Amino acid sequence: MEFLTSVTSTLLNKSLDAAQLQQRLIAQNVANASTEGYRAMSLNFKAALQHIDAVANSSLNDADKVDRINNVNFNQFVSLEETAAKVELDEQILALNKNVINYQALLTAKSKLGGIMKLAINGGR
């Protein structure tokens, strides 16, 4: 079914992957908060989404867009703190909350896209 591989659906799925990676990085930072010499990691979520959005809005045909979006490696958007410093749990909890809001927004968008498809399949009923 073309819907399952549409650019919009692929964009949402890849965005959810980015949010999931951010969640794992935050969990890793919290788990290592008391580890001496640990450098916190984070995903530049905004830059990652801008990158896949640029592909989605490019002049490529839809099949190439889907392929390029699926092949985006988010590791290029992961960064380490420059120096080993104590992980601030308050900052990590704030980042976690922000990420949960992003994830919920993406799930809502995916649900609405599914609702539109269901409506189309049912002939508008």
Side-chain angles (χ1 to χ4, degrees):
M1 178 176 243
E2 192 172 310
F3 162 72
L4 298 175
T5 59
S6 73
V7 173
T8 304
S9 179
T10 303
L11 183 65
L12 284 169
N13 289 338
K14 200 64 173 179
S15 298
L16 285 165
D17 290 346
Q20 183 180 29
L21 173 58
Q22 178 71 341
Q23 192 81 4
R24 284 195 312 265
L25 293 173
I26 293 167
Q28 185 173 324
N29 291 342
V30 170
N32 288 291
S34 61
T35 303
E36 190 173 324
Y38 178 77
R39 293 170 53 193
M41 299 185 341
S42 64
L43 173 71
N44 186 335
F45 190 77
K46 183 177 180 180
L49 291 187
Q50 286 174 336
H51 178 75
I52 58 176
D53 185 57
V55 174
N57 289 311
S58 70
S59 61
L60 297 169
N61 66 49
D62 285 355
D64 288 339
K65 288 178 184 180
V66 166
D67 188 49
R68 287 211 183 160
I69 291 169
N70 279 327
N71 289 317
V72 169
N73 183 345
F74 289 125
N75 289 335
Q76 64 184 322
F77 301 102
V78 173
S79 61
L80 286 171
E81 282 191 10
E82 295 206 16
T83 59
K86 185 174 188 292
V87 173
E88 295 296 329
L89 291 177
D90 289 346
E91 289 177 13
Q92 295 301 310
I93 297 303
L94 181 63
L96 178 68
N97 287 330
K98 183 178 179 182
N99 193 58
V100 166
I101 291 168
N102 288 337
Y103 197 83
Q104 288 174 336
L106 290 165
L107 285 177
T108 298
K110 188 163 173 99
S111 175
K112 289 188 183 295
L113 182 62
I116 291 169
M117 187 57 157
K118 183 179 176 182
L119 188 64
I121 290 170
N122 291 329
R125 293 174 279 190

